[in-house]
Every structure is written in C-alpha cells, then in structure tokens.
Amino acid sequence: MRTGGLWGRRACAVTLPWAAAMAGQEDPVQREIRQDWANREYIEIITSSIKKISDFLNSFALKIEPRALDKLGEALYL
C-alpha cells in the first residue's frame, strides 16, 4: 500500500472538501453545485408527474365515448 507520493496527495485532495463540508465550512461553489443538483432533481420529479397526468388524461379521453366527453365538458364549465 502506498502512503505518499501522488497517490497520497490525490486521496487527501478528495477527502478535504468533504471534511470541510462536515465542519460547516462548505465551499460556496460546492454549495451552489449541490443546490443546482437538488433543483434539477425537483424539476425532474415535477416534469415526470406532469407527464404521468397528461398520459392518464389522454388515455382517459380515448377510452370514453365522444358524447360522454361532451357531457363531462359541459358539466365542468357550467
């Protein structure tokens, strides 16, 4: 096992940001990246949910008779 040289420096560089984050001294750039990923995950969940609702409504509209859909539309807008 290597304890010094390039290997030791690389391992240290990888662990130091996490140690700083754990100590409450997170780098502002890392915080921004973490927030960006959280926002992207949130947007993905919302987008997926909207797609599921849209797919359901489209399949529902195809399954019912056109007259029933007209009556449903009239009932909703009265």
Side-chain angles (χ1 to χ4, degrees), residues 5-75:
L6 208 50
W7 175 261
R9 284 188 214 134
R10 187 178 324 149
C12 182
V14 170
T15 57
L16 282 178
W18 289 106
M22 297 301 277
Q25 301 172 357
E26 187 176 17
D27 181 22
V29 174
Q30 288 180 347
R31 187 178 326 122
E32 189 173 328
I33 291 170
R34 202 175 317 277
Q35 288 174 348
D36 183 56
W37 276 108
N39 289 340
R40 289 172 189 248
E41 290 173 351
Y42 178 73
I43 290 169
E44 180 65 29
I45 290 169
I46 297 297
T47 302
S48 173
S49 297
I50 291 172
K51 184 181 181 317
K52 287 177 186 177
I53 292 169
S54 175
D55 290 343
F56 167 77
L57 291 174
N58 286 331
S59 68
F60 179 77
L62 292 174
K63 289 179 183 176
I64 63 173
E65 296 180 23
R67 286 183 291 162
L69 187 58
D70 288 339
K71 288 181 184 177
L72 180 62
E74 289 174 7

